[in-house]
Amino acid sequence: MQNILIVDDDKEIVKAIEIYLERKKYQIFKAYDGIEALEQIKQNDINLIILDIMMPNKDGIETLKEIRKDKNIPVILLSAKSEDIDKIHGLNIGADDYITKPFNPAELIARVNALLRRYTNFETEETNNKNIIKNGGLIINDDLKKVTIDGKEIKLTPTEYNILKFLTENKGKVYSIEDIYQKVWKDDYFASDNVIAVHIRHIREKIEINPKEPRYLKVIWGVGYKVECLWKNQQYLKQ
């Protein structure tokens, strides 16, 4: 049984999450501020943390900084929509994922399952393979032309694969439709906006838990597309 620590000063939210996750046979530990959370982590073998951002005594961001000094436990941030800046800061300093309140229980469970699956399978990945590209839970093995998200293999068409590979190799950078066409098709661009958009939509449907709120493949309106650079395993291993 895997142990999950829920950290939130709202006891009703903690109880609700506890009920959802206990139904999935997880062992639950609870804390109501960052100080209590750090104590729980010292005393127990925690496999995943659900961490609220806004809390008294020690908030989620400060707690996350302490955790990341010596722990690699997966962390999902809980945030209100008004906390976007803190949410981005949290991802930059070590959070693995986030979910916005009010949340859908099914989406929370999906994110928990995905993170735990990724961490369970992480040590079995061929991390020394020079043709592996990693970004968060996204792993592209270019030797095998294989894509996995949180340990689960994703089936892509050759064109979808090449678009995703190109954007992931250059994660964090925004590319226009013209750029993507020239780099992937290796030909002069000719008004292929719809072609690129359709491929991007199909990739999102395959790799995102919630395609309407994508974690990996982002649209920069009026500019183009990018793969978000995530904290975990950001390095591109292909030299």
Side-chain angles (χ1 to χ4, degrees):
M1 181 178 290
Q2 291 176 303
N3 300 329
I4 297 178
L5 173 61
I6 306 168
V7 190
D8 196 313
D9 61 312
D10 188 325
K11 294 186 178 182
E12 291 186 4
I13 289 178
V14 172
K15 185 61 179 177
I17 296 173
E18 179 182 24
I19 291 171
Y20 301 144
L21 294 178
E22 281 188 336
R23 290 173 182 168
K24 300 299 178 181
K25 308 303 181 185
Y26 291 116
Q27 177 70 41
I28 302 303
F29 295 83
K30 295 174 283 188
Y32 302 105
D33 62 36
I35 295 172
E36 289 183 13
L38 294 172
E39 198 59 36
Q40 288 278 23
I41 293 166
K42 287 180 183 177
Q43 296 177 5
N44 301 287
D45 182 18
I46 302 298
N47 302 111
L48 181 141
I49 302 167
I50 299 172
L51 179 65
D52 187 39
I53 290 178
M54 297 299 293
M55 294 183 296
N57 299 326
K58 185 183 280 288
D59 66 21
I61 298 299
E62 291 303 313
T63 304
L64 179 59
K65 288 179 181 178
E66 289 294 319
I67 293 168
R68 284 292 174 252
K69 287 180 179 178
D70 59 1
K71 301 285 186 184
N72 198 30
I73 305 168
V75 175
I76 298 175
L77 291 177
L78 280 180
S79 70
K81 289 185 177 179
S82 62
E83 297 164 5
D84 282 349
I85 293 176
D86 286 333
K87 183 166 57 184
I88 293 167
H89 184 43
L91 289 172
N92 287 336
I93 65 172
D96 296 87
D97 204 347
Y98 66 85
I99 193 162
T100 302
K101 301 176 185 176
F103 53 85
N104 182 317
E107 182 176 354
L108 176 63
I109 291 168
R111 291 180 184 275
V112 167
N113 290 341
L115 265 180
L116 286 172
R117 183 168 60 243
R118 181 202 311 172
Y119 273 75
T120 299
N121 295 336
F122 179 71
E123 291 184 355
T124 67
E125 294 293 337
E126 298 175 325
T127 55
N128 293 323
N129 189 319
K130 297 301 182 183
N131 291 309
I132 285 181
I133 309 161
K134 295 187 177 185
N135 187 43
L138 169 63
I139 299 176
I140 301 174
N141 185 323
D142 199 37
D143 286 339
L144 303 177
K145 306 302 178 189
K146 176 182 175 182
V147 176
T148 59
I149 296 287
D150 300 318
K152 180 180 179 182
E153 185 172 357
I154 306 298
K155 299 296 185 182
L156 299 177
T157 67
T159 299
E160 291 167 359
Y161 175 87
N162 287 328
I163 291 172
L164 181 61
K165 176 175 176 282
F166 167 68
L167 291 176
T168 307
E169 285 176 325
N170 299 282
K171 53 187 173 287
K173 297 181 181 179
V174 181
Y175 289 90
S176 68
I177 287 173
E178 182 176 353
D179 291 333
I180 294 171
Y181 191 90
Q182 290 175 341
K183 296 292 185 180
V184 173
W185 273 260
K186 301 189 184 304
D187 200 353
D188 293 334
Y189 172 76
F190 64 97
S192 298
D193 298 30
N194 289 337
V195 172
I196 301 295
V198 168
H199 284 304
I200 294 288
R201 187 179 75 246
H202 289 168
I203 295 168
R204 274 177 153 183
E205 289 170 351
K206 293 177 180 181
I207 71 172
E208 303 287 357
I209 291 175
N210 181 357
K212 293 181 179 179
E213 295 185 7
R215 185 180 182 215
Y216 295 99
L217 188 47
K218 302 292 185 72
V219 177
I220 309 301
W221 295 108
V223 182
Y225 301 95
K226 71 171 182 175
V227 163
E228 192 74 84
C229 185
L230 301 181
W231 175 79
K232 184 61 61 181
N233 304 319
Q234 285 184 7
Q235 69 270 24
Y236 174 36
L237 298 181
K238 187 174 182 178
Q239 302 298 326

